[in-house]
Amino acid sequence: MRFNKANGLSGELTVPGDKSISHRSIMLGSIAKGTTAIRGFLQGADCLSSIACFRKMGVEIQNDGDLVTVKGLGLRGLKAPTDTLDVGNSGTTTRLMSGILAAQNFSCRVNGDASIQKRPMKRIMLPLSMMGANITSELGNDCAPLRITGSDLHGIAYDSPVASAQVKSAILFAGLYADGVTSVTEPAVSRNHTELMFESFGVDIKTEGRTATVHPASELYAQEIEVPGDISSAAYFIAAGLITPNSEITIKNVGINPTRDGILRVCEMMGANVKLEAKGGGVGEPIADITVSTTTLHGCEIGGNIIPTLIDEIPIIAIMAATAEGDTIIKDAAELKVKESNRIDVMVSNLSAMGASIEATDDGMIIHGGKPLHGAAIDSKLDHRIAMSFAVASLIADGETEILGSECVDISYPTFYRDLMKLVQ
Ligand code: S3P
């Protein structure tokens, strides 16, 4: 797909539902008692993979777009799938679902696309095995395809080497089935949607500092869930409104959970014109309308505990940094190397192709801002967040930008290009 420079952006939009919350609503709904009703569910390929996997385990899930209903089978009611559970491109489906599968009374195979088959699974295989799970990598490379045979699980106190909500959640899901208390301590707090949703489904779960502790459950109870707009999707419009001249955009009903709002704190550090209007929202999942307008940004340093709260936004933050005055240093973000693509390498090569001054470091990147961007051929590596970031960059680049593999936005935001183009003046 090809893009050109824009004269300005204006208007308002609502971004699709939060990806993390959508996945969790299917998984918890499937193992709860009763029918869970979900509004605002993200109809992206990743979340549809979660639906497909749980359907294969006998869960009746109706998806009519506006409303998704999940007829839960109870904690121990999932059925053995007749063939491989296909997770597509979704790391969240793979890792969270593995925590559930580890405790079922059947054996199954989990596999996905070429990207999933390269993503590290040892990070969940190790703690789940410590709990008594029988989980192996078919090719012995600690990646999918995985073979999981349900076992009796035991509670553990796990000190996780990575701040990862997928790792934490896999262990917490397994903890529902364990014979004792399970806790996970992270080096920095990652997104807490699992903990919040566990609580609303009636699970005994507590969080203290960097540790989440779950008690075994005997029953989970179906809920009505309203999924807020995904701040990770809103981030592209926040950036677009800030870096494109003559722009003002309002993004409505965005989830601003404090474990996800790092992009807003970076905007503050960069001196961005951002206004928030609080809209209520569920417990722990506050919602706001976000208005942004054109700003000359300045560089900043991003590292430490803020990283897990903006991990998926680093590609678009790098685009903002390329337009900012001065240097931006992003560190403590080595996790970027094991996302849908190696996001450090892919950002450095593509931003360099557009004329930016950027260098990779071991755990992040350094961007010397202010160099004018020009159109280029961008290889998205079929990573949705890379494609969307460079569609935004193209709005301020001279000449034409071509994004290769642009259709990969289907993973998290199928209507992204249409929504963006509606704002262009
Ligand atoms: C997610 C956690 C993050 C994030 C991913 C979604 C989740 O991954 O990058 O897009 O829903 O738990 P990690 O846990 O690997 O950091």
Side-chain angles (χ1 to χ4, degrees):
M1 196 162 177
R2 291 164 196 276
F3 300 85
N4 285 294
K5 197 168 185 170
N7 293 324
L9 302 176
S10 74
E12 54 178 51
L13 83 158
T14 308
V15 292
D18 188 275
K19 180 155 83 73
S20 296
I21 296 177
S22 296
H23 281 297
R24 287 156 174 80
S25 65
I26 296 300
M27 297 190 193
L28 281 167
S30 294
I31 57 172
K33 188 179 165 195
T35 300
T36 288
I38 310 158
R39 285 180 199 282
F41 182 84
L42 171 61
Q43 301 286 340
D46 266 13
C47 298
L48 297 178
S49 293
S50 280
I51 289 186
C53 287
F54 281 85
R55 278 181 176 153
K56 273 198 180 160
M57 290 187 278
V59 184
E60 233 180 87
I61 302 175
Q62 210 175 324
N63 180 4
D64 71 13
D66 292 340
L67 177 68
V68 175
T69 52
V70 183
K71 277 197 189 161
L73 294 177
L75 262 182
R76 302 201 178 263
L78 296 177
K79 312 263 187 322
T82 48
D83 58 359
T84 299
L85 295 170
D86 182 359
V87 298
N89 189 248
S90 176
T92 309
T93 309
T94 314
R95 296 196 178 110
L96 272 60
M97 188 171 67
S98 294
I100 297 174
L101 296 174
Q104 303 308 310
N105 60 0
F106 53 75
S107 175
C108 62
R109 184 174 183 265
V110 178
N111 200 9
D113 68 9
S115 152
I116 270 295
Q117 291 177 34
K118 284 196 220 123
R119 299 192 59 191
M121 292 300 151
K122 189 156 191 186
R123 51 182 58 202
I124 56 155
M125 291 169 66
L126 186 72
L128 291 176
S129 301
M130 286 164 67
M131 296 178 81
N134 181 345
I135 173 168
T136 53
S137 154
E138 218 167 80
L139 304 175
N141 60 356
D142 294 327
C143 297
L146 301 176
R147 166 67 58 182
I148 305 176
T149 303
S151 319
D152 292 335
L153 302 181
H154 316 293
I156 55 167
Y158 189 63
D159 210 347
S160 178
V162 278
S164 158
Q166 294 182 0
V167 171
K168 172 174 66 177
S169 302
I171 300 166
L172 294 176
F173 268 109
L176 295 175
Y177 296 91
D179 59 7
V181 176
T182 299
S183 67
V184 187
T185 302
E186 302 185 274
V189 178
S190 66
R191 65 192 66 193
N192 64 355
H193 305 298
T194 300
E195 295 90 306
L196 294 170
M197 209 181 278
F198 269 26
E199 203 171 334
S200 68
F201 275 77
V203 175
D204 183 355
I205 180 144
K206 302 262 168 316
T207 302
E208 250 187 277
R210 294 179 286 110
T211 303
T213 305
V214 68
H215 288 255
S218 47
E219 198 87 83
L220 268 58
Y221 302 96
Q223 297 297 309
E224 295 209 346
I225 297 169
E226 192 89 42
V227 183
D230 196 326
I231 191 166
S232 298
S233 298
Y236 304 102
F237 296 95
I238 293 173
L242 293 173
I243 69 173
T244 313
N246 314 310
S247 298
E248 181 167 314
I249 306 176
T250 298
I251 312 135
K252 304 195 63 100
N253 292 321
V254 182
I256 54 162
N257 175 320
T259 64
R260 293 286 299 283
D261 71 351
I263 176 83
L264 299 176
R265 285 178 276 151
V266 166
C267 283
E268 210 174 308
M269 289 193 264
M270 296 183 112
N273 294 324
V274 177
K275 279 190 225 111
L276 258 60
E277 194 184 324
K279 282 300 178 70
V283 179
E285 301 285 5
I287 291 170
D289 290 349
I290 301 174
T291 301
V292 296
S293 55
T294 312
T295 311
T296 305
L297 301 172
H298 48 80
C300 65
E301 197 173 313
I302 306 166
N305 290 346
I306 198 172
I307 293 295
T309 73
L310 49 65
I311 189 71
D312 291 342
E313 288 67 75
I314 292 178
I316 190 64
I317 288 171
I319 304 283
M320 287 161 61
T323 74
E325 287 171 350
D327 293 350
T328 296
I329 300 167
I330 300 171
K331 57 181 191 181
D332 306 319
E335 276 294 296
L336 291 175
K337 296 178 187 170
V338 291
K339 294 295 179 188
E340 287 84 329
S341 68
N342 178 334
R343 289 183 179 159
I344 297 179
D345 287 355
V346 177
M347 286 310 297
V348 169
S349 62
N350 283 322
L351 259 176
S352 302
M354 293 184 88
S357 171
I358 175 169
E359 54 203 84
T361 61
D362 276 351
D363 64 350
M365 50 195 111
I366 299 173
I367 302 133
H368 310 287
K371 284 246 198 138
L373 299 185
H374 54 76
I378 300 298
D379 187 352
S380 70
K381 301 282 182 194
L382 298 181
D383 181 335
H384 54 133
R385 304 212 184 275
I386 299 297
M388 291 190 275
S389 296
F390 282 93
V392 171
S394 75
L395 301 173
I396 55 157
D398 282 330
E400 192 178 71
T401 300
E402 183 182 8
I403 298 182
L404 308 172
S406 58
E407 69 284 354
C408 63
V409 303
D410 280 356
I411 293 296
S412 65
Y413 196 158
T415 60
F416 175 72
Y417 301 118
R418 220 188 309 150
D419 288 0
L420 183 63
M421 289 313 147
K422 269 195 224 154
L423 303 172
V424 172
Q425 296 311 295

PDB file of all heavy atoms in Angstrom, residues 19-20 23-24 92 95-96 119 123 163-167 169 191 311-312 335 339-340 385, ligand 1:
ATOM      1  N   LYS A  19      -6.949  -5.351  22.763  1.00  0.00           N
ATOM      2  CA  LYS A  19      -6.584  -6.713  22.353  1.00  0.00           C
ATOM      3  C   LYS A  19      -6.388  -7.605  23.578  1.00  0.00           C
ATOM      4  O   LYS A  19      -6.903  -8.723  23.629  1.00  0.00           O
ATOM      5  CB  LYS A  19      -5.304  -6.651  21.499  1.00  0.00           C
ATOM      6  CG  LYS A  19      -4.816  -7.981  21.016  1.00  0.00           C
ATOM      7  CD  LYS A  19      -3.988  -7.851  19.749  1.00  0.00           C
ATOM      8  CE  LYS A  19      -2.545  -7.495  20.015  1.00  0.00           C
ATOM      9  NZ  LYS A  19      -1.764  -8.613  20.578  1.00  0.00           N
ATOM     10  N   SER A  20      -5.638  -7.126  24.555  1.00  0.00           N
ATOM     11  CA  SER A  20      -5.359  -7.952  25.740  1.00  0.00           C
ATOM     12  C   SER A  20      -6.642  -8.315  26.475  1.00  0.00           C
ATOM     13  O   SER A  20      -6.828  -9.460  26.899  1.00  0.00           O
ATOM     14  CB  SER A  20      -4.440  -7.181  26.699  1.00  0.00           C
ATOM     15  OG  SER A  20      -3.200  -6.944  26.100  1.00  0.00           O
ATOM     16  N   HIS A  23      -8.799 -10.964  24.443  1.00  0.00           N
ATOM     17  CA  HIS A  23      -8.326 -12.353  24.606  1.00  0.00           C
ATOM     18  C   HIS A  23      -8.787 -12.934  25.941  1.00  0.00           C
ATOM     19  O   HIS A  23      -9.288 -14.053  26.024  1.00  0.00           O
ATOM     20  CB  HIS A  23      -6.789 -12.392  24.626  1.00  0.00           C
ATOM     21  CG  HIS A  23      -6.131 -12.300  23.294  1.00  0.00           C
ATOM     22  ND1 HIS A  23      -6.291 -13.253  22.323  1.00  0.00           N
ATOM     23  CD2 HIS A  23      -5.267 -11.381  22.780  1.00  0.00           C
ATOM     24  CE1 HIS A  23      -5.549 -12.928  21.261  1.00  0.00           C
ATOM     25  NE2 HIS A  23      -4.926 -11.789  21.520  1.00  0.00           N
ATOM     26  N   ARG A  24      -8.542 -12.156  26.986  1.00  0.00           N
ATOM     27  CA  ARG A  24      -8.837 -12.663  28.334  1.00  0.00           C
ATOM     28  C   ARG A  24     -10.333 -12.911  28.523  1.00  0.00           C
ATOM     29  O   ARG A  24     -10.740 -13.829  29.240  1.00  0.00           O
ATOM     30  CB  ARG A  24      -8.296 -11.675  29.377  1.00  0.00           C
ATOM     31  CG  ARG A  24      -6.758 -11.731  29.472  1.00  0.00           C
ATOM     32  CD  ARG A  24      -6.179 -10.454  30.014  1.00  0.00           C
ATOM     33  NE  ARG A  24      -4.738 -10.512  30.254  1.00  0.00           N
ATOM     34  CZ  ARG A  24      -3.789 -10.375  29.315  1.00  0.00           C
ATOM     35  NH1 ARG A  24      -4.129 -10.200  28.047  1.00  0.00           N
ATOM     36  NH2 ARG A  24      -2.504 -10.409  29.641  1.00  0.00           N
ATOM     37  N   THR A  92      -0.209 -13.966  22.603  1.00  0.00           N
ATOM     38  CA  THR A  92      -1.072 -13.941  23.794  1.00  0.00           C
ATOM     39  C   THR A  92      -1.910 -15.216  23.861  1.00  0.00           C
ATOM     40  O   THR A  92      -2.010 -15.840  24.925  1.00  0.00           O
ATOM     41  CB  THR A  92      -1.983 -12.696  23.769  1.00  0.00           C
ATOM     42  OG1 THR A  92      -1.173 -11.546  23.548  1.00  0.00           O
ATOM     43  CG2 THR A  92      -2.722 -12.536  25.083  1.00  0.00           C
ATOM     44  N   ARG A  95       0.476 -18.235  24.819  1.00  0.00           N
ATOM     45  CA  ARG A  95       1.028 -18.318  26.177  1.00  0.00           C
ATOM     46  C   ARG A  95      -0.074 -18.413  27.228  1.00  0.00           C
ATOM     47  O   ARG A  95       0.003 -19.231  28.145  1.00  0.00           O
ATOM     48  CB  ARG A  95       1.951 -17.121  26.419  1.00  0.00           C
ATOM     49  CG  ARG A  95       3.166 -17.149  25.476  1.00  0.00           C
ATOM     50  CD  ARG A  95       4.280 -16.238  25.935  1.00  0.00           C
ATOM     51  NE  ARG A  95       5.444 -16.321  25.051  1.00  0.00           N
ATOM     52  CZ  ARG A  95       5.849 -15.345  24.227  1.00  0.00           C
ATOM     53  NH1 ARG A  95       5.175 -14.206  24.174  1.00  0.00           N
ATOM     54  NH2 ARG A  95       6.911 -15.494  23.480  1.00  0.00           N
ATOM     55  N   LEU A  96      -1.108 -17.601  27.124  1.00  0.00           N
ATOM     56  CA  LEU A  96      -2.156 -17.647  28.154  1.00  0.00           C
ATOM     57  C   LEU A  96      -2.896 -18.986  28.100  1.00  0.00           C
ATOM     58  O   LEU A  96      -3.142 -19.623  29.139  1.00  0.00           O
ATOM     59  CB  LEU A  96      -3.151 -16.488  27.988  1.00  0.00           C
ATOM     60  CG  LEU A  96      -2.776 -15.183  28.716  1.00  0.00           C
ATOM     61  CD1 LEU A  96      -1.451 -14.646  28.220  1.00  0.00           C
ATOM     62  CD2 LEU A  96      -3.864 -14.129  28.562  1.00  0.00           C
ATOM     63  N   ARG A 119       8.968 -17.587  18.219  1.00  0.00           N
ATOM     64  CA  ARG A 119       8.907 -16.810  19.472  1.00  0.00           C
ATOM     65  C   ARG A 119       9.211 -17.693  20.678  1.00  0.00           C
ATOM     66  O   ARG A 119       8.819 -18.854  20.720  1.00  0.00           O
ATOM     67  CB  ARG A 119       7.560 -16.113  19.566  1.00  0.00           C
ATOM     68  CG  ARG A 119       7.440 -15.174  18.363  1.00  0.00           C
ATOM     69  CD  ARG A 119       6.335 -14.220  18.441  1.00  0.00           C
ATOM     70  NE  ARG A 119       6.393 -13.362  19.592  1.00  0.00           N
ATOM     71  CZ  ARG A 119       5.381 -12.590  19.943  1.00  0.00           C
ATOM     72  NH1 ARG A 119       4.267 -12.607  19.245  1.00  0.00           N
ATOM     73  NH2 ARG A 119       5.476 -11.813  20.999  1.00  0.00           N
ATOM     74  N   ARG A 123      10.030 -19.380  28.339  1.00  0.00           N
ATOM     75  CA  ARG A 123       9.596 -18.500  29.419  1.00  0.00           C
ATOM     76  C   ARG A 123       8.295 -18.964  30.081  1.00  0.00           C
ATOM     77  O   ARG A 123       8.046 -18.644  31.229  1.00  0.00           O
ATOM     78  CB  ARG A 123       9.485 -17.059  28.906  1.00  0.00           C
ATOM     79  CG  ARG A 123       8.670 -16.948  27.642  1.00  0.00           C
ATOM     80  CD  ARG A 123       8.584 -15.530  27.095  1.00  0.00           C
ATOM     81  NE  ARG A 123       9.865 -14.932  26.790  1.00  0.00           N
ATOM     82  CZ  ARG A 123      10.071 -13.614  26.718  1.00  0.00           C
ATOM     83  NH1 ARG A 123       9.071 -12.776  26.909  1.00  0.00           N
ATOM     84  NH2 ARG A 123      11.253 -13.134  26.456  1.00  0.00           N
ATOM     85  N   ALA A 163       9.639  -8.987  32.700  1.00  0.00           N
ATOM     86  CA  ALA A 163       8.362  -8.306  32.965  1.00  0.00           C
ATOM     87  C   ALA A 163       7.483  -8.604  31.770  1.00  0.00           C
ATOM     88  O   ALA A 163       7.574  -7.946  30.745  1.00  0.00           O
ATOM     89  CB  ALA A 163       8.588  -6.810  33.112  1.00  0.00           C
ATOM     90  N   SER A 164       6.659  -9.638  31.884  1.00  0.00           N
ATOM     91  CA  SER A 164       5.811 -10.048  30.764  1.00  0.00           C
ATOM     92  C   SER A 164       4.448 -10.470  31.289  1.00  0.00           C
ATOM     93  O   SER A 164       4.341 -11.402  32.084  1.00  0.00           O
ATOM     94  CB  SER A 164       6.459 -11.223  30.013  1.00  0.00           C
ATOM     95  OG  SER A 164       5.477 -11.937  29.283  1.00  0.00           O
ATOM     96  N   ALA A 165       3.430  -9.782  30.809  1.00  0.00           N
ATOM     97  CA  ALA A 165       2.066 -10.120  31.238  1.00  0.00           C
ATOM     98  C   ALA A 165       1.656 -11.477  30.693  1.00  0.00           C
ATOM     99  O   ALA A 165       0.827 -12.166  31.288  1.00  0.00           O
ATOM    100  CB  ALA A 165       1.100  -9.058  30.761  1.00  0.00           C
ATOM    101  N   GLN A 166       2.248 -11.879  29.574  1.00  0.00           N
ATOM    102  CA  GLN A 166       1.891 -13.185  29.010  1.00  0.00           C
ATOM    103  C   GLN A 166       2.435 -14.298  29.899  1.00  0.00           C
ATOM    104  O   GLN A 166       1.743 -15.287  30.152  1.00  0.00           O
ATOM    105  CB  GLN A 166       2.415 -13.306  27.582  1.00  0.00           C
ATOM    106  CG  GLN A 166       1.713 -12.324  26.648  1.00  0.00           C
ATOM    107  CD  GLN A 166       2.175 -12.434  25.208  1.00  0.00           C
ATOM    108  OE1 GLN A 166       3.034 -13.243  24.882  1.00  0.00           O
ATOM    109  NE2 GLN A 166       1.609 -11.613  24.351  1.00  0.00           N
ATOM    110  N   VAL A 167       3.652 -14.130  30.378  1.00  0.00           N
ATOM    111  CA  VAL A 167       4.234 -15.127  31.289  1.00  0.00           C
ATOM    112  C   VAL A 167       3.452 -15.139  32.606  1.00  0.00           C
ATOM    113  O   VAL A 167       3.003 -16.189  33.077  1.00  0.00           O
ATOM    114  CB  VAL A 167       5.733 -14.819  31.530  1.00  0.00           C
ATOM    115  CG1 VAL A 167       6.285 -15.706  32.629  1.00  0.00           C
ATOM    116  CG2 VAL A 167       6.523 -14.996  30.243  1.00  0.00           C
ATOM    117  N   SER A 169       0.474 -14.182  33.209  1.00  0.00           N
ATOM    118  CA  SER A 169      -0.901 -14.663  33.046  1.00  0.00           C
ATOM    119  C   SER A 169      -0.956 -16.172  32.847  1.00  0.00           C
ATOM    120  O   SER A 169      -1.857 -16.833  33.361  1.00  0.00           O
ATOM    121  CB  SER A 169      -1.563 -13.958  31.865  1.00  0.00           C
ATOM    122  OG  SER A 169      -1.537 -12.562  32.069  1.00  0.00           O
ATOM    123  N   ARG A 191       1.264  -5.295  32.395  1.00  0.00           N
ATOM    124  CA  ARG A 191      -0.189  -5.035  32.348  1.00  0.00           C
ATOM    125  C   ARG A 191      -0.945  -6.009  33.250  1.00  0.00           C
ATOM    126  O   ARG A 191      -0.614  -7.207  33.296  1.00  0.00           O
ATOM    127  CB  ARG A 191      -0.696  -5.079  30.902  1.00  0.00           C
ATOM    128  CG  ARG A 191      -0.606  -6.405  30.233  1.00  0.00           C
ATOM    129  CD  ARG A 191      -0.855  -6.286  28.732  1.00  0.00           C
ATOM    130  NE  ARG A 191       0.194  -5.516  28.089  1.00  0.00           N
ATOM    131  CZ  ARG A 191       0.140  -5.040  26.855  1.00  0.00           C
ATOM    132  NH1 ARG A 191      -0.908  -5.251  26.107  1.00  0.00           N
ATOM    133  NH2 ARG A 191       1.139  -4.359  26.356  1.00  0.00           N
ATOM    134  N   ILE A 311       5.408  -1.111  26.065  1.00  0.00           N
ATOM    135  CA  ILE A 311       6.268  -1.980  25.239  1.00  0.00           C
ATOM    136  C   ILE A 311       5.795  -2.054  23.788  1.00  0.00           C
ATOM    137  O   ILE A 311       6.600  -2.003  22.860  1.00  0.00           O
ATOM    138  CB  ILE A 311       6.420  -3.389  25.889  1.00  0.00           C
ATOM    139  CG1 ILE A 311       7.464  -4.215  25.162  1.00  0.00           C
ATOM    140  CG2 ILE A 311       5.099  -4.132  25.987  1.00  0.00           C
ATOM    141  CD1 ILE A 311       8.875  -3.758  25.357  1.00  0.00           C
ATOM    142  N   ASP A 312       4.466  -2.113  23.583  1.00  0.00           N
ATOM    143  CA  ASP A 312       3.963  -2.224  22.199  1.00  0.00           C
ATOM    144  C   ASP A 312       3.976  -0.881  21.465  1.00  0.00           C
ATOM    145  O   ASP A 312       3.772  -0.837  20.248  1.00  0.00           O
ATOM    146  CB  ASP A 312       2.530  -2.786  22.193  1.00  0.00           C
ATOM    147  CG  ASP A 312       2.495  -4.244  22.623  1.00  0.00           C
ATOM    148  OD1 ASP A 312       3.543  -4.914  22.588  1.00  0.00           O
ATOM    149  OD2 ASP A 312       1.408  -4.719  23.000  1.00  0.00           O
ATOM    150  N   GLU A 335      13.224  -6.805  25.216  1.00  0.00           N
ATOM    151  CA  GLU A 335      12.047  -7.609  24.843  1.00  0.00           C
ATOM    152  C   GLU A 335      11.569  -7.317  23.415  1.00  0.00           C
ATOM    153  O   GLU A 335      10.906  -8.133  22.784  1.00  0.00           O
ATOM    154  CB  GLU A 335      10.900  -7.318  25.825  1.00  0.00           C
ATOM    155  CG  GLU A 335      10.960  -8.126  27.100  1.00  0.00           C
ATOM    156  CD  GLU A 335      10.752  -9.612  26.849  1.00  0.00           C
ATOM    157  OE1 GLU A 335       9.677  -9.996  26.398  1.00  0.00           O
ATOM    158  OE2 GLU A 335      11.691 -10.388  27.088  1.00  0.00           O
ATOM    159  N   LYS A 339       9.400  -9.795  19.793  1.00  0.00           N
ATOM    160  CA  LYS A 339       7.996  -9.521  19.462  1.00  0.00           C
ATOM    161  C   LYS A 339       7.692 -10.122  18.078  1.00  0.00           C
ATOM    162  O   LYS A 339       8.445 -10.952  17.587  1.00  0.00           O
ATOM    163  CB  LYS A 339       7.733  -8.010  19.507  1.00  0.00           C
ATOM    164  CG  LYS A 339       7.862  -7.422  20.919  1.00  0.00           C
ATOM    165  CD  LYS A 339       6.792  -7.969  21.826  1.00  0.00           C
ATOM    166  CE  LYS A 339       6.911  -7.415  23.236  1.00  0.00           C
ATOM    167  NZ  LYS A 339       5.990  -8.081  24.162  1.00  0.00           N
ATOM    168  N   GLU A 340       6.624  -9.672  17.425  1.00  0.00           N
ATOM    169  CA  GLU A 340       6.238 -10.259  16.134  1.00  0.00           C
ATOM    170  C   GLU A 340       7.369 -10.155  15.115  1.00  0.00           C
ATOM    171  O   GLU A 340       7.441 -10.922  14.155  1.00  0.00           O
ATOM    172  CB  GLU A 340       4.959  -9.593  15.611  1.00  0.00           C
ATOM    173  CG  GLU A 340       3.687 -10.005  16.371  1.00  0.00           C
ATOM    174  CD  GLU A 340       3.417  -9.224  17.636  1.00  0.00           C
ATOM    175  OE1 GLU A 340       4.397  -8.768  18.311  1.00  0.00           O
ATOM    176  OE2 GLU A 340       2.241  -9.052  17.998  1.00  0.00           O
ATOM    177  N   ARG A 385       2.425  -3.732  14.123  1.00  0.00           N
ATOM    178  CA  ARG A 385       2.782  -2.446  14.754  1.00  0.00           C
ATOM    179  C   ARG A 385       3.828  -1.684  13.930  1.00  0.00           C
ATOM    180  O   ARG A 385       3.885  -0.459  13.979  1.00  0.00           O
ATOM    181  CB  ARG A 385       3.238  -2.668  16.196  1.00  0.00           C
ATOM    182  CG  ARG A 385       2.177  -3.396  17.018  1.00  0.00           C
ATOM    183  CD  ARG A 385       2.135  -3.021  18.463  1.00  0.00           C
ATOM    184  NE  ARG A 385       1.147  -3.849  19.146  1.00  0.00           N
ATOM    185  CZ  ARG A 385      -0.162  -3.591  19.203  1.00  0.00           C
ATOM    186  NH1 ARG A 385      -0.650  -2.496  18.652  1.00  0.00           N
ATOM    187  NH2 ARG A 385      -0.989  -4.400  19.835  1.00  0.00           N
TER     188      ARG A 385
HETATM  189  C1  S3P B   1       0.278  -8.831  26.064  1.00  0.00           C
HETATM  190  C2  S3P B   1       1.477  -8.664  26.704  1.00  0.00           C
HETATM  191  C3  S3P B   1       2.666  -8.093  26.046  1.00  0.00           C
HETATM  192  C4  S3P B   1       2.308  -7.361  24.763  1.00  0.00           C
HETATM  193  C5  S3P B   1       1.349  -8.132  23.918  1.00  0.00           C
HETATM  194  C6  S3P B   1       0.070  -8.421  24.676  1.00  0.00           C
HETATM  195  C7  S3P B   1      -0.829  -9.438  26.817  1.00  0.00           C
HETATM  196  O1  S3P B   1       3.565  -9.144  25.730  1.00  0.00           O
HETATM  197  O2  S3P B   1       3.474  -7.069  24.044  1.00  0.00           O
HETATM  198  O3  S3P B   1       1.025  -7.409  22.750  1.00  0.00           O
HETATM  199  O4  S3P B   1      -1.998  -9.358  26.358  1.00  0.00           O
HETATM  200  O5  S3P B   1      -0.591  -9.992  27.892  1.00  0.00           O
HETATM  201  P1  S3P B   1       4.655  -9.684  26.772  1.00  0.00           P
HETATM  202  O6  S3P B   1       3.939 -10.279  27.909  1.00  0.00           O
HETATM  203  O7  S3P B   1       5.433 -10.709  26.004  1.00  0.00           O
HETATM  204  O8  S3P B   1       5.475  -8.495  27.148  1.00  0.00           O
END
